[in-house]
Amino acid sequence: MNKVLAGGSRDEFGERLKQKQKITSLISNVLNEKGFMPINTPFIEKESTFE
């Protein structure tokens, strides 16, 4: 079976992922220090949310 990732997506691993995690951590730390509150939204939304 030929499985194809959704357009615009890719697997992330190795040094590239480590760099991304480092940058994400640095940004998160700065935002937390400035008093910003984190938010995590659902990956999938009901269509009616956008109507």
Side-chain angles (χ1 to χ4, degrees):
M1 179 184 290
N2 185 14
K3 295 185 179 184
V4 179
L5 294 173
S9 66
R10 65 174 177 258
D11 292 332
E12 296 179 316
F13 56 91
E15 285 302 315
R16 183 179 185 131
L17 179 56
K18 285 172 60 174
Q19 281 295 97
K20 183 177 179 178
Q21 289 174 330
K22 183 177 178 180
I23 293 167
T24 300
S25 178
L26 289 170
I27 292 170
S28 292
N29 289 339
V30 170
L31 293 174
N32 289 334
E33 290 170 7
K34 300 289 183 183
F36 286 84
M37 298 298 295
I39 183 172
N40 189 11
T41 59
F43 180 69
I44 298 176
E45 292 276 0
K46 291 183 177 181
E47 184 178 358
S48 61
T49 302
F50 303 102
E51 292 177 350

